[in-house]
């Protein structure tokens, strides 16, 4: 069964390029598509601001990937040493939805009871982590997810590997995926440990200008009335975005990171007092992916400054009596870094 | 009022202005609008998400439900969703009987997918929590229900419209905000009597005819602009709500047998969808004539509103495009304003900033309900069924599975009927980790002038506690008492965002109804305990009561009432502390805290940090209730 939500056969998702505004959310998603090592995207914001829409739109947009035919883990044919006789095919990049209420056996995988009962065979039924390998794992309302599942996901996301020890099975399989979480801060806070694991974090809000709000509703209305026609209309724009992802991926390694940029990143992290090297490392990676998407050859000040709020905003120590938004603090620190 | 109450300087606006009693014409209008909204909904149930009907169980609500059911009959299945429906019935799960008899997992559909293409009615929707709400949200957003459980993985269609029956009694008992946001229409029928419920003029046949026309609706950019301009003027910024109003305009046109929506349709759509969510009245510059909003008596007759004069309508259609950027049509503004629920209108008129839409929706208990309340599942363990143990079917089968071949062989030709040979050793039961959540409830004296300073410290303390405790998933709530009432300002929450918003708006001043405050604190704490949380109550007062039960003034009586409330509180055996905020240790505060068996702490110059430290220290010494 195809569980990816980018199942075009059924119903086209709202096109990515037709999403009005929400620049940083869209850019954060594209950065994670260009360089998965950036470490996932957290999207927080009010209800009805198109968080889920954007993730589903991304799924539809991503270039297809090649997998070994019949592999339950989406194995990359170029990653196995002996390719003779191995058949492969192009499939959509999985964007796997992890619904609330999912049980551990479905997430990590478990003994296939059907096979066990009917054929007396001990075999592994892969879970959602297997399906998400080389793709995206999307969790809506991530702040409501059960703690034990959160712990499990963090562990797997960090190691890139899913280790299953249950019911007499001992299985290990690759599970590298980009974690995308969305939620509404009014429904509860996210644990700081979890927050810190996400590479990027963006806040979304309803567009300020009424002109934009009108455009949002106008496009949505058009999509509702005729999804196929709407999809056709935006297909070319979406293809452009897809091409920019592909070329950014190709050029990513060759984007130069000058010392100037490294210094600025370090100075910024120091000014904001973010812990450890994770912030700095992510800042560089995200800035590089952003520069690649912009078609630039090296990471300049503009790229760094653009990604700084989404990289550092959620890593700041919180002072509950300080009302200013984290992003504002990052922007202030940026302004103070002259030169 | 007693002379020693420093009343001057504090504007004594009541927190909730009493809602005016609606007149006959207003009630008739509410009913007519509701019927019209029901008709729109019936045209495209899934497209509108649903209706929430706030009403007590009774003939009025029955009449409305019958009306809706009649309109959607023949459209698709109509199913009732019990609010505590277990997830396997709601979303689908393992068919236990079939699984055991066939010796392989057999899935069964759930209520949501059975209702695909139809309507689900949710009684007592204000009590819906956790997975039930999430399932509904997912069905409304994606038209699907996703199950990843017990070895099953399926995605089934669940394109449903929801009729949520909200029996909540007060502002704090409402639909989960995320759910309310996804239902286009909401109406409050509490003030109506069955005499107001005249027969609706729209029938199932009209709706059916309208469906085809609605499906064929064409693009009308000016309608989108007009709707969004109105939404903006009334302070409704959600694109989802705007979209609902646009659809409603198309549905109204279709119901009237027209292919194109007119300005009248827009006006009525805005009345039905936007009015109940208004957060402001249009500003004066934008629409001069509505400078003084129509009072209750001035409200236009509903019949005039809905069945606008035909020649009027043609006038309007003539300048269809005039509305997009210019000032709003006065009549539309009037019509929408007239449809704003009376108590909401009152608040908007007061300019009551503390009740913005966001804090209104935040006042619901959605977030609290969404949180896991009964410990997290931790898989299964070997065990015996019975008592409180619940069988974990899948894990039991998994344990039994590898032995089947062996057992069959062992059994030989003994010929046991069952396909799966499950033995006592295989039995697995569900395991939960019960992590008690703690709830700190502040009950704060917000009376008198000095209260304002104290409130600032309390706000700080609440925020600090939340910031410290959010990693532990603890909750903080706040009751303030002043004037003649104790009010729940912040239902227990883990969300710093919500807390800040609620606290920012907290006013001070008025009398000191201490007895009521103690009762309110005790009540909230025992509610929390019933939910499996462990509450502790922190009172902050100088113990000087001057308002007793029944609004009786007089210090002696008020103190006696407070003492008896305190003794009642003590019988609940709740963990509590009383922070005495008077400049010198007050004997009355000490006496009270003894009566309620609370930890007593004189803290004359309390700071936010001091309060937080005291509460944290008390929590460890008193221990958890």
């Amino acid at each position: 069964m195809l569980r990816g939500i980018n199942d075009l056969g059924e119903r086209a998702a709202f096109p990515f390029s037709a999403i009005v505004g929400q620049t940083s959310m869209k850019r954060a998603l594209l950065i994670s598509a260009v360089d998965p090592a950036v470490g996932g995207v957290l999207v927080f914001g009010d209800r009805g601001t198109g968080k889920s829409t954007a993730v589903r739109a991304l799924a539809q947009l991503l270039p297809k990937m090649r997998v070994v035919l019949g592999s339950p883990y989406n194995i990359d044919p170029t990653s196995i040493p002996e390719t003779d006789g191995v058949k492969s095919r192009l499939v959509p990049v999985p964007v796997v939805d992890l619904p609330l209420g999912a049980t551990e056996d479905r997430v990590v995988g478990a003994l296939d009871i059907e096979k066990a009962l009917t054929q007396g065979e001990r075999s592994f039924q892969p879970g959602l982590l297997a399906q998400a390998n080389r793709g995206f794992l999307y969790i809506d309302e991530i702040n409501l997810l059960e703690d034990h599942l959160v712990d499990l996901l963090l562990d797997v996301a960090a190691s890139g590997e899913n280790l299953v020890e249950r019911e007499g099975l001992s299985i290990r399989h690759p599970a590298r995926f980009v974690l995308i979480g969305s939620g509404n801060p009014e429904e509860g806070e996210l644990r700081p440990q979890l927050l810190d694991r996400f590479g990027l974090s963006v806040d979304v809000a309803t567009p300020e200008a009424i002109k934009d709000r009108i455009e949002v509703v106008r496009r949505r209305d058009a999509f509702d009335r005729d999804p196929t026609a709407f999809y056709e209309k935006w297909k070319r724009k979406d293809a452009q975005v897809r091409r920019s992802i592909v070329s950014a991926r190709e050029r990513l390694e060759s984007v130069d990171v000058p010392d100037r940029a490294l210094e600025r990143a370090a100075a910024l992290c120091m000014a904001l007092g973010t812990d450890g090297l994770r912030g700095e490392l992510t800042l560089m990676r995200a800035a590089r992916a952003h520069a690649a998407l912009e078609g630039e050859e090296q990471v300049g000040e503009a790229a760094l400054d653009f990604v700084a709020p989404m990289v550092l905003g959620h890593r700041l120590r919180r002072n509950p009596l300080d009302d200013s938004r984290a992003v504002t603090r990052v922007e202030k620190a940026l302004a103070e870094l002259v030169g | 009022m007693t002379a020693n109450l420093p009343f001057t300087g504090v504007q004594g606006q009541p927190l909730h202005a009493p809602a005016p009693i609606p007149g006959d014409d207003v009630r008739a209008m509410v009913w007519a609008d509701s019927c019209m909204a029901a008709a729109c909904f019936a045209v495209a149930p899934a497209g509108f998400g649903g209706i929430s009907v706030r009403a007590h169980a009774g003939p009025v609500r029955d009449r409305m439900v019958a009306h809706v059911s009649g309109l959607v009959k023949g459209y698709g299945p109509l199913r009732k969703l019990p609010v505590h429906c277990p997830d396997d019935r709601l979303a689908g799960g393992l068919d236990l009987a079939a699984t055991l008899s066939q010796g392989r997992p057999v899935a069964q559909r759930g209520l949501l997918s059975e209702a695909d293409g139809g309507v689900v009615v949710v009684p007592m929707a204000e009590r819906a929590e956790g997975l039930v709400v999430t399932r509904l949200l997912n069905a409304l957003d994606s038209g699907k229900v996703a199950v990843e459980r017990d070895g099953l993985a399926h995605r089934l269609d669940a394109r449903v419209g929801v009729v949520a029956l909200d029996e909540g009694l007060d502002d704090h008992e409402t639909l989960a905000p995320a759910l309310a946001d996804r239902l286009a229409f909401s109406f409050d029928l509490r003030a109506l009597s069955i005499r107001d419920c005249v027969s609706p003029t729209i029938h199932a046949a009209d709706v059916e005819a309208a469906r085809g026309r609605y499906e064929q609706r064409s693009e009308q950019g000016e309608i989108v602009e007009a709707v969004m301009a109105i939404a903006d003027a009334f302070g409704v910024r959600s694109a989802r709500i705007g979209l609902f109003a646009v659809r409603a305009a198309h549905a109204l046109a279709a119901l009237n047998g027209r292919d194109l929506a007119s300005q009248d349709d827009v006006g009525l759509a805005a009345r039905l969808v936007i009015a109940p969510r208004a957060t402001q009245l249009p500003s004066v510059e934008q629409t001069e004539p509505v400078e003084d909003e129509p009072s209750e008596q001035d409200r236009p007759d509903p019949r005039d509103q809905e069945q606008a004069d035909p020649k009027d309508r043609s006038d309007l259609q003539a300048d269809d495009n005039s509305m997009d950027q210019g000032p709003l049509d006065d009549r539309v503004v009037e019509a929408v304003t007239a449809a704003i629920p009376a108590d909401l209108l009152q608040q908007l008129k007061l300019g009551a900033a503390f009740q913005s839409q966001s804090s209104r929706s935040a006042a619901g208990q959605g977030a609290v309900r969404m949180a896991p309340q009964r410990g997290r599942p931790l898989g299964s363990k070997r065990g015996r069924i019975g008592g409180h143990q619940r069988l974990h079917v899948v894990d039991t089968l998994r344990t039994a599975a590898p032995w089947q071949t062996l057992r069959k062989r062992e059994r030989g030709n003994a010929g046991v009927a069952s396909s799966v040979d499950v033995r006592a050793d295989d039995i697995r039961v569900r395991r939960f980790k019960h992590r008690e959540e703690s709830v700190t409830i502040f009950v704060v004296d917000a009376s008198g002038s000095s209260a304002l300073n104290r409130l600032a410290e309390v706000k700080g303390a609440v925020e600090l506690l939340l910031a410290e405790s959010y990693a532990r998933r603890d909750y903080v709530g706040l009751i303030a008492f002043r004037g003649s009432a104790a009010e729940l300002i912040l239902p227990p929450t883990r969300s710093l965002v919500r807390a800040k918003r609620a606290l920012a708006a907290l006013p001070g001043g008025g009398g000191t109804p201490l007895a009521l405050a103690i009762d309110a604190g005790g009540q909230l704490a025992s509610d929390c305990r019933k939910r499996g949380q462990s509450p502790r109550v922190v009172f902050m007062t100088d113990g000087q009561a001057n308002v007793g039960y029944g609004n009786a003034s007089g210090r002696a009586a008020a103190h006696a009432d407070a003492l008896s409330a305190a003794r009642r509180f003590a019988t609940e055996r709740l963990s509590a502390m009383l922070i005495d905020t008077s400049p010198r240790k007050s004997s009355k505060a000490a006496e009270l805290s003894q009566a309620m068996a609370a930890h007593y702490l004189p803290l004359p110059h309390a700071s936010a940090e001091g309060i937080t430290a005291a509460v944290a220290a008390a929590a460890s010494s008193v221990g958890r209730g």
Side-chain angles (χ1 to χ4, degrees):
Chain A
M1 189 200 283
L2 181 63
R3 292 192 197 78
I5 51 176
N6 53 348
D7 183 359
L8 279 183
E10 190 157 337
R11 189 177 140 199
F14 193 80
F16 190 83
S17 46
I19 296 171
V20 178
Q22 312 294 12
T23 326
S24 42
M25 169 170 66
K26 285 193 284 187
R27 183 44 63 108
L29 291 173
L30 292 181
I31 288 175
S32 74
V34 169
D35 185 1
V38 163
V41 182
L42 190 62
V43 188
F44 251 49
D46 295 341
R47 286 177 286 277
T49 41
K51 298 178 297 254
S52 303
T53 305
V55 176
R56 283 165 221 285
L58 177 75
Q60 181 173 255
L61 177 86
L62 292 167
K64 291 190 170 187
M65 65 182 196
R66 193 160 280 286
V67 299
V68 171
L69 196 62
S71 159
Y73 315 117
N74 308 321
I75 298 292
D76 182 354
T78 61
S79 72
I80 44 181
E82 198 59 59
T83 44
D84 289 353
V86 171
K87 284 195 179 131
S88 68
R89 65 184 192 116
L90 278 175
V91 298
V93 170
V95 178
V96 174
D97 226 331
L98 194 151
L100 288 187
T103 51
E104 205 174 305
D105 63 318
R106 282 304 307 141
V107 177
V108 296
L111 177 77
D112 187 333
I113 4 177
E114 170 134 31
K115 277 204 181 128
L117 289 176
T118 54
Q119 298 159 32
E121 195 181 295
R122 190 190 294 270
S123 77
F124 179 62
Q125 182 186 26
L128 298 175
L129 294 177
Q131 285 168 37
N133 188 33
R134 298 177 64 212
F136 292 75
L137 188 67
Y138 174 52
I139 308 165
D140 192 12
E141 316 254 30
I142 187 166
N143 43 350
L144 301 181
L145 194 67
E146 298 275 2
D147 278 357
H148 71 292
L149 282 182
V150 173
D151 297 342
L152 199 147
L153 287 174
L154 288 178
D155 189 40
V156 176
S159 64
E161 184 175 68
N162 179 30
L163 193 67
V164 187
E165 292 289 353
R166 53 187 295 166
E167 294 133 10
L169 294 166
S170 179
I171 301 254
R172 129 197 334 248
H173 69 77
R176 294 191 184 281
F177 50 83
V178 176
L179 200 56
I180 299 186
S182 66
N184 179 343
E186 294 205 355
E187 258 124 44
E189 303 287 331
L190 206 59
R191 282 191 300 153
Q193 304 92 308
L194 183 52
L195 210 54
D196 181 57
R197 297 290 187 98
F198 279 93
L200 309 177
S201 164
V202 286
D203 290 338
V204 290
T206 308
E208 288 286 323
I210 179 165
K211 195 170 101 299
D212 292 342
R213 285 202 292 276
I214 290 175
E215 196 53 33
V216 169
V217 172
R218 196 197 288 275
R219 288 185 192 173
R220 196 76 221 187
D221 177 48
F223 176 71
D224 279 347
R225 279 183 288 100
D226 192 347
T228 321
F230 191 76
Y231 176 73
E232 286 298 318
K233 187 175 159 200
W234 288 89
K235 211 166 66 177
R236 277 187 42 232
K237 282 244 167 85
D238 261 15
Q240 267 172 27
V241 182
R242 185 180 303 119
R243 278 196 300 277
S244 72
I245 294 177
V246 173
S247 77
R249 277 180 183 165
E250 283 163 0
R251 295 180 316 102
L252 186 65
E253 288 306 315
S254 60
V255 173
D256 179 37
V257 184
D259 289 348
R260 250 192 350 274
L262 288 171
E263 278 157 25
R264 191 175 170 84
L268 186 59
C269 290
M270 240 145 75
L272 287 165
T274 51
D275 295 335
L277 285 172
R278 206 199 292 268
E280 244 172 282
L281 194 62
T282 312
L283 194 52
M284 286 323 305
R285 283 209 167 114
R288 195 173 52 179
H290 176 76
L293 278 163
E294 294 289 308
E296 285 156 11
E297 275 156 22
Q298 63 165 301
V299 173
E301 221 168 77
L304 262 179
D305 294 4
F306 184 89
V307 299
M310 56 176 83
V311 174
L312 299 176
H314 60 296
R315 295 174 204 275
L316 302 184
R317 293 214 164 274
R318 297 163 55 113
N319 176 0
L321 301 182
D322 180 2
D323 261 332
S324 64
R325 289 167 61 232
V327 168
T328 322
R329 283 167 65 196
V330 176
E331 279 159 2
K332 232 164 80 192
L334 277 171
E336 280 161 15
L337 285 187
V338 187
Chain B
M1 275 302 153
T2 42
N4 52 355
L5 256 181
F7 233 52
T8 44
V10 181
Q11 281 302 318
Q13 279 296 0
L15 230 52
H16 287 289
I21 310 275
D24 282 352
D25 52 343
V26 174
R27 296 200 306 269
M29 182 191 81
V30 169
W31 176 254
D33 277 4
S34 304
C35 290
M36 194 48 97
C40 284
F41 166 73
V43 169
F48 286 108
I51 311 177
S52 81
V53 184
R54 196 163 172 85
H56 310 296
V60 174
R61 196 183 77 176
D62 292 349
R63 176 79 55 98
M64 179 50 70
V65 172
H67 177 49
V68 176
S69 312
L71 294 181
V72 299
K73 200 176 243 166
Y75 171 73
L78 182 74
R79 297 291 304 261
K80 202 173 221 177
L81 166 64
V83 78
H84 296 298
C85 185
D87 197 49
D88 57 342
R89 265 316 296 145
L90 184 57
L94 208 62
D95 182 334
L96 193 54
T99 299
L100 286 175
S101 77
Q102 295 182 29
R104 61 178 185 85
V106 178
Q108 65 171 1
R109 280 150 76 85
L111 198 150
L112 283 174
S113 74
E114 285 164 6
D116 179 41
V119 170
V120 287
V121 179
V122 190
M124 282 192 284
E126 80 284 358
R127 306 206 60 83
E129 54 182 48
L131 261 182
V132 174
V133 169
T134 312
R135 292 291 184 198
L136 283 171
L137 297 184
N138 286 343
L140 289 172
D141 282 353
S142 65
K144 292 205 185 312
V145 55
V147 174
E148 294 287 352
R149 213 189 36 218
D150 299 342
L152 295 172
H154 63 227
R155 297 279 188 281
L156 297 172
D157 282 338
R159 290 155 300 189
V160 297
V162 173
V163 178
L165 304 179
D166 174 356
E167 294 172 25
L169 293 178
D170 57 38
D171 281 355
H172 297 299
E173 216 175 0
T174 54
L175 292 191
L179 182 58
D181 197 54
R182 284 166 172 83
L183 310 180
F185 305 106
S186 78
F187 31 86
D188 188 337
L189 303 181
R190 283 177 298 178
L192 305 197
S193 82
I194 189 72
R195 274 168 304 152
D196 302 312
C197 307
V198 294
S199 292
T201 49
I202 293 181
H203 305 285
D206 306 319
V207 170
E208 210 167 325
R211 270 182 207 131
R213 211 170 272 121
Y214 177 78
E215 286 299 316
Q216 301 300 317
R217 67 195 186 278
S218 50
E219 176 159 5
Q220 279 184 275
E222 71 282 4
I223 293 298
V224 176
E225 277 167 25
V227 164
M228 295 307 282
I230 298 171
D232 205 51
F234 285 88
V236 177
R237 311 266 185 267
S238 159
R240 184 177 282 138
I241 302 306
L243 187 63
F244 281 149
V246 171
R247 288 179 187 162
H250 286 297
L252 287 167
L255 282 166
N256 281 314
R258 284 181 275 106
D259 288 332
L260 288 178
S262 69
Q263 290 294 356
D264 276 2
D265 296 326
V266 170
L268 185 51
R271 245 173 95 132
L272 299 179
V273 178
I274 293 168
R277 295 174 163 98
T279 67
Q280 68 186 43
L281 291 170
S283 63
V284 185
E285 316 85 87
Q286 214 165 354
T287 50
E288 269 179 332
V290 288
E291 199 167 341
D292 42 2
E293 284 80 34
S295 67
E296 299 312 316
Q297 292 82 2
D298 294 344
R299 280 187 166 187
D301 189 298
R303 282 155 292 256
D304 287 354
Q305 298 281 321
E306 263 138 55
Q307 328 273 295
D309 207 307
K311 70 176 189 295
D312 264 12
R313 184 173 290 166
S314 58
D315 271 5
L316 275 167
Q317 274 171 333
D319 55 5
D320 239 6
N321 290 322
S322 65
M323 221 168 120
D324 40 4
Q325 298 302 332
L328 295 177
D329 186 308
D330 301 340
R331 296 188 329 141
V332 169
V333 171
E334 244 171 69
V336 176
T337 308
I340 296 176
D343 51 341
L344 180 55
L345 186 68
Q346 197 68 26
Q347 284 166 21
L348 297 177
K349 279 184 177 166
L350 287 175
F354 69 89
Q355 278 270 353
S356 71
Q357 189 196 26
S358 39
S359 71
R360 243 167 68 85
S361 62
Q365 295 181 345
V368 178
R369 292 205 201 104
M370 299 285 254
Q373 304 282 358
R374 241 154 279 126
R376 50 175 162 137
L378 271 186
S380 64
K381 63 176 186 199
R382 186 183 290 236
R384 299 268 174 280
I385 322 168
H388 298 296
Q389 307 282 30
R390 283 168 55 212
L391 178 67
H392 196 308
V393 182
V394 176
D395 281 3
T396 302
L397 287 176
R398 280 214 177 89
T399 314
W403 305 100
Q404 293 307 301
T405 337
L406 203 67
R407 286 178 190 169
K408 266 190 197 123
R409 207 179 301 146
E410 194 184 304
R411 214 165 49 207
N413 295 327
V416 185
S418 166
S419 317
V420 189
D421 190 342
V422 177
R423 301 190 179 172
D425 256 6
D426 302 331
I427 301 292
R428 293 291 179 273
V429 294
R430 290 187 187 276
R431 210 151 58 101
F432 291 95
K433 180 174 180 187
H434 198 77
R435 151 98 166 74
E436 283 223 332
E437 296 155 335
S438 90
V439 184
T440 304
I441 298 163
F442 283 93
V443 182
V444 177
D445 188 343
S447 67
S449 62
S450 64
L452 286 175
N453 302 323
R454 218 167 296 141
L455 278 175
E457 290 134 21
V458 171
K459 290 176 187 182
V462 168
E463 292 183 7
L464 277 173
L465 269 182
L466 266 177
E468 272 180 13
S469 66
Y470 76 132
R472 299 197 304 270
R473 309 219 147 189
D474 290 347
Y475 290 78
V476 178
L478 175 66
I479 293 171
F481 59 102
R482 61 189 282 274
S484 55
E487 205 203 351
L488 181 61
I489 301 290
L490 180 69
T493 181
R494 286 192 333 227
S495 165
L496 203 56
V497 180
R498 277 177 56 165
K500 283 191 170 189
R501 208 171 279 161
L503 292 176
L506 178 58
T512 315
L514 200 46
L516 290 174
I518 296 172
D519 288 345
Q523 183 61 48
L524 182 57
S526 60
D527 287 351
C528 290
R529 195 153 63 183
K530 274 179 211 139
R531 250 181 275 154
Q533 298 167 318
S534 60
R536 55 174 187 257
V537 191
V538 180
F539 291 93
M540 296 197 50
T541 176
D542 57 6
Q544 306 287 333
N546 61 21
V547 177
Y549 287 125
N551 231 338
S553 58
R555 292 184 164 271
H559 185 65
D561 282 352
L563 272 179
S564 70
R567 280 191 284 268
R568 241 188 342 270
F569 183 92
T571 62
E572 292 276 331
R573 299 186 175 284
L574 291 160
S575 157
M577 81 183 288
L578 188 147
I579 298 181
D580 183 352
T581 52
S582 51
R584 264 182 301 262
K585 247 171 114 169
S586 126
S587 58
K588 279 186 174 161
E591 189 187 354
L592 267 179
S593 80
Q594 202 177 8
M596 64 173 92
H599 185 76
Y600 174 71
L601 184 77
L603 206 62
H605 306 291
S607 66
E609 286 78 9
I611 297 169
T612 313
V615 172
S620 48
S621 67
V622 175
R624 289 181 168 188

